[in-house]
Amino acid sequence: GEPLNEVLPVFTSNVARLLALTRKGTLRVDADADIAVLSADGSLRYLWAMGQLMVEHGQPRQFGHFETR
């Protein structure tokens, strides 16, 4: 029930700052921008990580070594 702009830093920039990960947690030049796009209900719609589209329309596009397809 809290506004997203107040909750999101708990999982992004605050964590990166506490772990001294200077290239994580924000969108800016020279940052490692992992981007998640959420729907209005909070479900994951798209996810880009390390420059790759990992989730599209809520469905995984990339899989790790231990994940089933």
Side-chain angles (χ1 to χ4, degrees), residues 6 8 26 29 68:
E6 292 180 18
L8 196 56
T26 61
V29 173
T68 58

Side-chain angles (χ1 to χ4, degrees), residues 10-66:
V10 172
F11 304 99
T12 59
S13 56
N14 290 356
V15 175
R17 188 178 66 255
L18 288 171
L19 296 174
L21 301 172
T22 58
R23 295 184 55 170
K24 297 285 186 184
T26 61
L27 295 177
R28 66 175 195 285
V29 173
D30 293 329
D32 293 337
D34 298 341
I35 302 170
V37 177
L38 307 176
S39 65
D41 67 1
S43 61
L44 182 64
R45 298 296 300 151
Y46 297 91
L47 175 68
W48 285 266
M50 299 175 58
Q52 299 290 318
L53 180 59
M54 306 298 280
V55 175
E56 182 177 29
H57 302 294
Q59 299 299 315
R61 288 186 44 143
Q62 304 286 333
F63 294 88
H65 296 291
F66 302 106

